[in-house]
Amino acid sequence: MASFVGLRSPSPLLLRGLTFPILPPLSSSSSSSFLQLKVWKRGSIRRVVVIPVNCSPSGPSEDEEPEPEAGSPLSSLSGNLSAYKWCAALGGIGFVETAYLSYLKLSDSGAFCPIGGGTCDDVLNSDYASVFGIPLPFIGMIAYGTVASLSLQLAEGKFPFELGTSNGRLVLLGMSTSMAVASSYFLYILSTKLTGASCSYCLFSAFLSFSLFFITLKDHGFKEIQKMVALQLCLSSLVVFLLNTAYNSSLSVPSSSAELVAMPYFTTEITTESSPFTVSLSRHLHSIGAKMYGAFWCSHCLEQKQMFGKEAAKVLDYVECFPNGYKKGTKIEKTCTDAAIEGFPTWIINGQVLSGERELSELAQLSGFEYNELDQPS
């Protein structure tokens, strides 16, 4: 005989004289039950049909873990962990790069530059390669190392000094923001002050900084970032202010004089003769307030004066940036510091800054000078 095991609330399904009792699964590991059909006719069973049925539970089983829904805290945590791992990886790469550059700085070795040839060394050894006397690779190594360490701690949920997740995320955002702003400032310097120079290490470091910044922005989300815009702007302004202050105060000696020995001030004689054109041009430059900034030991300054000739050179508004001679630690003349002079010679014509020697025709064009021989005295 067939036995029937009912459910918690057994109730056979009745449909036009048919009953459908459900038999339990054959074993505890099976999810299949059997549906036994009894067809009744005139008080006797004519046919019994047994059909296997797969029964799906109405809720999740005990052995299965529900998948996190989009936007749920569990999903957000999973995304954060991925972001922290990316930050840790990028920070580690940046640490290796800056550690290599720091080694080159300490060992006074040349950098291998895959793009740009020897211009990497020109940039890495320029006046802009240090802040308050600290080489930029050292600062970068500390910054990238901190980011990598903090990101790993955020991923593992372990913090020193009871920092906590929220404070750790805030510190990481502040670090990445500062690094991105500093990288933007350095790219500006590279494109405007070091024209023609290329530095693949600088560009790669900027790429890492920007990547860290955008990853941390995405981690916080738009609504959370909106609440911290003022803090980020203050932090960005502080970074720019510190860099400006550092570079303005570090221009005591331009890079071209970095290896000079102590020497007293001396004058150089202009040996070339002036032409009517150069005399007229020098008078015009003087009349519009154009100035030439230079140093007594600067060979390019001498060559620029030689282009004018000895008579015309006396008319030029020439500013000597080391009138008391030079020795290690000598500060550049305040007039030159106020004009933000970074190399010699430097022309300032109608507010436009021109670095290096310039052709007389270029100076005439930029100053609006038009030469007419008929106007010259005989």
Side-chain angles (χ1 to χ4, degrees):
M1 293 179 61
S3 61
F4 301 92
V5 178
L7 302 177
R8 290 184 180 178
S9 300
S11 101
L13 303 177
L14 300 177
L15 181 62
R16 296 184 179 179
L18 302 180
T19 60
F20 302 86
I22 304 296
L23 299 181
L26 297 179
S27 64
S28 59
S29 61
S30 175
S31 62
S32 298
S33 298
F34 295 89
L35 178 65
Q36 180 171 331
L37 280 68
K38 294 183 179 181
V39 183
W40 295 82
K41 185 177 181 181
R42 296 182 180 179
S44 61
I45 299 176
R46 170 178 290 188
R47 181 179 300 177
V48 176
V49 181
V50 179
I51 302 176
V53 177
N54 290 326
C55 300
S56 299
S58 59
S61 64
E62 297 180 356
D63 297 333
E64 296 180 356
E65 296 183 359
E67 296 183 359
E69 299 179 359
S72 66
L74 189 59
S75 176
S76 176
L77 178 59
S78 177
N80 290 344
L81 291 177
S82 177
Y84 302 149
K85 291 178 180 178
W86 272 108
C87 289
L90 294 175
I93 295 173
F95 179 82
V96 171
E97 181 202 16
T98 50
Y100 167 69
L101 296 178
S102 299
Y103 166 76
L104 296 180
K105 194 72 175 179
L106 292 174
S107 61
D108 198 21
S109 304
F112 168 72
C113 191
I115 301 176
T119 58
C120 276
D121 283 332
D122 296 339
V123 175
L124 296 173
N125 295 320
S126 68
D127 293 331
Y128 298 98
S130 60
V131 175
F132 294 114
I134 305 174
L136 283 177
F138 295 171
I139 299 175
M141 187 170 60
I142 295 173
Y144 282 118
T146 302
V147 168
S149 176
L150 182 59
S151 298
L152 287 175
Q153 291 170 351
L154 283 169
E156 297 176 359
K158 300 177 181 179
F159 304 96
F161 313 114
E162 298 182 356
L163 185 62
T165 301
S166 58
N167 292 331
R169 294 174 70 236
L170 186 61
V171 172
L172 184 60
L173 178 63
M175 290 285 298
S176 62
T177 300
S178 302
M179 294 167 69
V181 172
S183 294
S184 300
Y185 188 94
F186 296 142
L187 289 178
Y188 166 77
I189 294 294
L190 184 63
S191 61
T192 58
K193 308 299 183 182
L194 302 171
T195 308
S198 175
C199 178
S200 54
Y201 296 102
C202 308
L203 298 177
F204 183 66
S205 181
F207 168 76
L208 293 177
S209 298
F210 292 143
S211 299
L212 287 170
F213 176 63
F214 288 120
I215 289 174
T216 52
L217 279 184
K218 184 179 179 182
D219 173 46
H220 281 76
F222 181 73
K223 292 184 178 179
E224 190 174 351
I225 289 296
Q226 281 183 313
K227 302 176 182 178
M228 296 182 288
V229 168
L231 178 61
Q232 287 183 288
L233 290 177
C234 292
L235 191 60
S236 302
S237 301
L238 178 61
V239 171
V240 174
F241 172 76
L242 290 176
L243 290 175
N244 277 328
T245 303
Y247 288 139
N248 289 336
S249 63
S250 67
L251 288 175
S252 58
V253 181
S255 59
S256 55
S257 66
E259 298 182 1
L260 286 176
V261 295
M263 62 178 69
Y265 174 79
F266 61 85
T267 58
T268 54
E269 182 182 0
I270 309 300
T271 58
T272 58
E273 296 293 332
S274 299
S275 66
F277 171 76
T278 58
V279 173
S280 298
L281 176 59
S282 63
R283 289 173 179 170
H284 172 72
L285 291 172
H286 175 77
S287 67
I288 65 173
K291 288 182 173 57
M292 173 186 170
Y293 296 82
F296 66 93
W297 40 260
C298 170
S299 60
H300 296 289
C301 302
L302 177 60
E303 292 172 3
Q304 184 76 86
K305 293 178 182 178
Q306 293 280 24
M307 295 172 67
F308 279 89
K310 56 184 178 182
E311 182 181 352
K314 295 177 181 178
V315 183
L316 292 173
D317 284 337
Y318 173 76
V319 180
E320 173 59 54
C321 292
F322 290 92
N324 300 317
Y326 168 76
K327 62 181 179 179
K328 187 175 181 180
T330 301
K331 297 291 183 181
I332 196 171
E333 192 72 3
K334 187 177 185 303
T335 305
C336 301
T337 302
D338 294 340
I341 302 303
E342 301 168 356
F344 306 126
T346 295
W347 287 91
I348 297 184
I349 302 175
N350 294 329
Q352 186 174 1
V353 179
L354 306 171
S355 300
E357 293 179 55
R358 297 288 172 165
E359 295 293 332
L360 298 180
S361 59
E362 182 181 3
L363 295 175
Q365 181 181 3
L366 293 173
S367 64
F369 173 69
E370 296 182 0
Y371 179 66
N372 189 347
E373 295 182 3
L374 299 177
D375 295 337
Q376 303 305 312
S378 59

